Amino acid sequence: RKEVEQDPGPFNVPEGATVAFNCTYSNSASQSFFWYRQDCRKEPKLLMSVYSSGNEDGRFTAQLNRASQYISLLIRDSKLSDSATYLCVVKRSGNTPLVFGKGTRLSVIA
Amino acid sequence: EADIYQTPRYLVIGTGKKITLECSQTMGHDKMYWYQQDPGMELHLIHYSYGVNSTEKGDLSSESTVSRIRTEHFPLTLESARPSHTSQYLCASCSGATSEAFFGQGTRLTVV
């Protein structure tokens, strides 16, 4: 089983829709959680860190459920420019590497 | 904007050549990583470092080597390139405080 698993894509949604991605992680020692965005043929870029209390940044809301070991990302009022691959990332404490999920591809359609 | 740079951006070389992909960051991050990614596919960790003189192999078996002689510099070397090495190579550095990682723009390598 992969350490980080994400919803399989692609998600094709109309502009203005709300879309949610889920991600599960298997290692209960995971301490840090992130969502990254990767555009086609570009490098991943940090979208937001995910905090235990949940956090919001504009149209984006991230939540963490430690008991169930999953992370979610909600995008409201989708824009064409939100089309990208969204990567779930977890990290244990100490000198351990970041672990990336395979990513979920989102296409927002006019 | 993150201050992490990779050179070259694109490279086409012949089989059997030795190449070094450069990665430098000016953020003073101790942690640095190399990932390999084929188009439309997932990232694979090939090497990482937690500081000067520390290097570890990642999940993906790789014929490459790395060194970390200076904090800001984490070069990756292929002693003898093969067509199977054709891929995009992404370097990242990570803040020790927040664990947030920043990526370079990548090197797109083609071995012919």
Side-chain angles (χ1 to χ4, degrees):
Chain A
R1 184 187 169 191
K2 285 271 193 182
E3 188 168 346
V4 178
E5 303 218 45
Q6 295 188 238
D7 282 347
F11 283 57
N12 299 313
V13 303
E15 272 188 291
T18 295
V19 61
F21 304 139
N22 289 326
C23 165
T24 58
Y25 60 95
S26 59
N27 195 320
S28 59
S30 298
Q31 294 285 330
S32 304
F33 308 91
F34 310 93
W35 284 102
Y36 279 72
R37 171 195 169 125
Q38 186 173 25
D39 292 295
C40 188
R41 301 177 76 81
K42 299 281 192 178
E43 75 275 20
K45 292 188 177 178
L46 179 66
L47 179 65
M48 57 199 303
S49 301
V50 186
Y51 304 119
S52 297
S53 54
N55 46 303
E56 189 174 308
D57 183 2
R59 298 180 293 109
F60 298 84
T61 301
Q63 295 203 312
L64 167 65
N65 185 320
R66 286 189 184 271
S68 302
Q69 295 183 198
Y70 83 78
I71 307 149
S72 64
L73 177 68
L74 184 78
I75 306 175
R76 290 182 299 278
D77 188 23
S78 299
K79 312 289 185 195
L80 294 174
S81 57
D82 293 334
S83 297
T85 296
Y86 291 83
L87 301 164
C88 175
V89 183
V90 305
K91 187 183 178 305
R92 285 167 277 142
S93 62
N95 286 339
T96 57
L98 295 162
V99 182
F100 283 77
K102 287 187 176 183
T104 301
R105 190 177 304 173
L106 171 67
S107 291
V108 181
I109 304 159
Chain B
E1 284 296 314
D3 295 323
I4 178 165
Y5 309 100
Q6 289 185 244
T7 56
R9 290 287 308 281
Y10 303 93
L11 180 62
V12 181
I13 60 166
T15 297
K17 299 291 186 185
K18 176 180 178 179
I19 56 165
T20 296
L21 308 185
E22 302 287 349
C23 177
S24 294
Q25 50 96 6
T26 58
M27 296 173 281
H29 289 166
D30 285 328
K31 299 176 176 132
M32 295 188 75
Y33 308 87
W34 276 104
Y35 292 89
Q36 186 176 340
Q37 186 180 37
D38 293 324
M41 304 299 283
E42 64 187 297
L43 287 157
H44 291 284
L45 179 68
I46 48 176
H47 294 283
Y48 56 103
S49 167
Y50 294 119
V52 171
N53 294 326
S54 118
T55 60
E56 301 282 346
K57 285 188 179 290
D59 303 321
L60 182 67
S61 173
S62 173
E63 291 147 349
S64 57
T65 59
V66 291
S67 63
R68 189 88 184 275
I69 298 169
R70 302 196 320 264
T71 298
E72 61 271 23
H73 196 212
F74 191 38
L76 181 143
T77 298
L78 279 169
E79 291 292 334
S80 179
R82 297 209 304 259
S84 59
H85 295 136
T86 295
S87 190
Q88 176 165 247
Y89 293 83
L90 289 158
C91 179
S93 73
C94 184
S95 161
T98 64
S99 295
E100 293 174 353
F102 300 93
F103 282 81
Q105 291 183 297
T107 294
R108 201 168 294 277
L109 173 66
T110 302
V111 184
V112 298

